[in-house]
Amino acid sequence: MAMNRVQFQPGLSMPEFLRQFGTEEQCEAALERLRWPQGFRCPHCGESRHCVLRVGAAKIFQCGACRKQTSLIAGTVFQGTKLALTVWYLAIYFISQAKTGLSALALKRLLGVSYPTAWLIHHKLMQAMVEREERYLLGGEVQVDDAYLGGELSGGTAGRGSENKVPFLAAVSVDADGHPGYAKLSPVSGFTCQAVAAWAGAHLAPGSVVVSDGLSCFGGVGDAGCEHQPVVVGNRKPRDLPDFLWVNTVLGNVKTGLAGAYHAFDFGKYAERYLGAIAYRFNRRFKLDTITQRLLAAAVTTGPRPEDWLRRAAAPC
Ligand SMILES: [Zn+2]
């Protein structure tokens, strides 16, 4: 069997991770470098002179000019946490290195925290992944397909709880040699021209060529300045056609990712986050050695996402 480029690449080993992030001091220093690469700057007045205080375990910078205090974790996704950064970083390590994602239940066991705490960590980090993914648009040739979460795909009970069935679009950009680039997995309000147009406007660069099985709603990409190229499927299934090889591969990732790791979750409410985390991992499949640091950087730049905010449902396109 040929060596698989994704599977045989070096990741970040646990001993190496612990060598870099095994102590609270190391984690604080890494966070400080990410927030202030040139050293601390007061967010209020820009002054660099400061002194460091400890309030409990929290590291606080006090500005030497305006005297205002800034906590190391304020303004990041870690804001307000009572947990040690070493626990957060371990969560980032486990989530980023797990091939098919992790459930909050698995995190609870691995980190030795309560289930509600594991749920919060999990959702905050998935949200950081979603917000990172929102920065990028797909361009060039893009394979798309429509699918449902909570139906046959997720291994759920068919026909039960249809209100929990979420329509979503899977899309993968493909280069001139047919190699996959980046993927997007996005819940939509339905498979209508209007929803597809809104989706394309948010996720595709104008001028993209969208290859689909010809479902009429995909004509909606024209409204976002993209070209629709329907493939005649006839009585074959899109999954049997080479035109859809990569979008089918990504849909396979959704199936294994959700069936293996998430026993039950509210698809309707949190689909964007679960799908976004799968796309995040796919899009960094050749970067297993740096994906942990990348997710850490995403967590630092994602603002505070408190529990009540996380529990509110996001409205799809
Ligand atoms: Zn200041």
Side-chain angles (χ1 to χ4, degrees):
M1 204 177 94
M3 259 192 28
N4 180 305
R5 236 178 104 207
V6 174
Q7 285 171 13
F8 281 84
Q9 67 179 308
L12 176 63
S13 72
M14 191 147 208
E16 180 56 24
F17 167 80
L18 290 173
R19 199 186 62 74
Q20 291 181 40
F21 304 109
T23 70
E24 199 64 10
E25 290 70 29
Q26 286 174 312
C27 293
E28 284 182 343
L31 180 46
E32 202 174 319
R33 278 194 303 274
L34 280 167
R35 287 197 72 179
W36 299 292
Q38 313 325 323
F40 173 79
R41 288 265 166 196
C42 172
H44 304 283
C45 71
E47 173 63 43
S48 60
R49 285 177 303 131
H50 66 279
C51 59
V52 173
L53 315 169
R54 287 277 169 186
V55 178
K59 187 171 187 177
I60 310 282
F61 298 82
Q62 181 167 292
C63 177
C66 75
R67 318 295 297 165
K68 288 200 172 112
Q69 296 184 344
T70 306
S71 144
L72 175 62
I73 59 173
T76 74
V77 93
F78 311 119
Q79 180 171 312
T81 189
K82 301 266 192 300
L83 292 171
L85 287 175
T86 48
V87 175
W88 275 99
Y89 283 35
L90 257 183
I92 288 171
Y93 176 75
F94 288 133
I95 288 174
S96 60
Q97 294 290 325
K99 191 182 167 220
T100 55
L102 276 181
S103 65
L105 204 58
L107 264 189
K108 165 192 179 300
R109 286 192 287 262
L110 287 165
L111 301 177
V113 297
S114 70
Y115 181 78
T117 300
W119 189 94
L120 267 183
I121 292 174
H122 191 217
H123 277 255
K124 286 184 184 198
L125 293 177
M126 286 196 293
Q127 183 61 29
M129 295 186 194
V130 167
E131 293 186 29
R132 207 61 167 185
E133 289 300 289
E134 283 169 355
R135 297 177 170 204
Y136 310 110
L137 299 177
L138 298 186
E141 184 185 321
V142 179
Q143 300 177 356
V144 297
D145 204 2
D146 50 291
Y148 283 97
L149 268 187
E152 184 203 352
L153 184 67
S154 69
T157 311
R160 205 185 63 185
S162 59
E163 74 284 351
N164 201 23
K165 224 169 142 180
V166 179
F168 72 96
L169 294 177
V172 185
S173 63
V174 180
D175 70 15
D177 298 325
H179 296 132
Y182 297 97
K184 292 267 185 189
L185 293 164
S186 332
V188 287
S189 56
F191 300 123
T192 63
C193 283
Q194 219 178 3
V196 168
W199 169 82
H203 300 294
L204 303 185
S208 301
V209 176
V210 176
V211 181
S212 84
D213 61 2
L215 193 70
S216 63
C217 66
F218 288 122
V221 300
D223 291 355
C226 300
E227 186 191 321
H228 183 211
Q229 214 170 74
V231 170
V232 179
V233 175
N235 50 13
R236 291 169 300 176
K237 291 192 168 116
R239 74 181 66 129
D240 299 330
L241 294 175
D243 309 79
F244 301 104
L245 172 67
W246 292 112
V247 76
N248 286 330
T249 302
V250 170
L251 283 170
N253 284 8
V254 174
K255 188 171 182 172
T256 48
L258 296 182
Y262 310 106
H263 298 291
F265 72 87
D266 189 338
F267 293 104
K269 223 169 157 184
Y270 303 123
E272 185 190 28
R273 227 169 269 150
Y274 283 92
L275 289 172
I278 293 170
Y280 181 95
R281 214 171 282 109
F282 179 85
N283 291 339
R284 288 155 190 79
R285 63 198 179 280
F286 296 121
K287 296 168 180 164
L288 285 187
D289 53 340
T290 55
I291 188 172
T292 300
Q293 282 90 338
R294 286 166 192 272
L295 181 52
L296 174 60
V300 170
T301 47
T302 302
R305 298 291 177 259
E307 183 170 2
D308 56 348
W309 187 93
L310 288 168
R311 288 189 181 280
R312 276 199 294 270
C317 288

